[in-house]
Amino acid sequence: MRIVPRQDRGALVLAVTGDLDLDNVAPLGGALESAAQDGDAPVVVDLSGVNFADSTTVNVLLQGQTLLGPRLRVAAPSPFVERLIGVLGLDSVLPVFPTVAEAIDSPLPA
C-alpha cells in the first residue's frame, strides 16, 4: 500500500494504491488525522488504485469522516472498492465521487 499526497486546486488529495487491510491501513488513518489538524481544505481520498480493501479500511474512512466531517471526500473508487461501498451502503454516510476533479469541485456544505 502506498499513499501519495498532493495539493490540487486547494484540496489535499491522498492517492492510495495497492491493497488495504489490517496489516497496512494505519498510514491512511495517520494521513487523515494529520489532515484534520492542517487547515480546512477538502481532503480527497483517491481510491482508483486500490485493488482490495477490507473492513479495517471502512473503519479508517469512517473515523476520517468523524475527524474531517464534510471535508472528507472519497473519489474514483476502483471496481472492487465501488462494490464494497455499495454493499455496505457507505455512500449514504461518506460523500463518494466518480472522479477526483468532481470531489475537489464539490462545494463544502454551508
Side-chain angles (χ1 to χ4, degrees), residues 17-91:
T17 57
D19 294 345
L20 295 173
D21 59 33
L22 177 63
D23 294 329
N24 66 5
V25 76
L28 177 58
L32 294 174
E33 285 179 30
S34 292
Q37 297 172 3
D38 293 338
D40 57 359
V43 177
V44 178
V45 180
D46 176 358
L47 298 176
S48 60
V50 173
N51 303 316
F52 174 81
D54 67 6
S55 61
T56 55
T57 305
V58 172
N59 189 40
V60 165
L61 290 172
L62 291 173
Q63 288 173 353
Q65 175 72 17
T66 299
L67 291 169
L68 293 159
R71 293 175 50 209
L72 179 66
R73 291 105 187 268
V74 174
S78 67
F80 182 90
V81 175
E82 190 171 28
R83 280 191 303 279
L84 181 65
I85 288 169
V87 166
L88 297 176
L90 287 178
D91 51 349

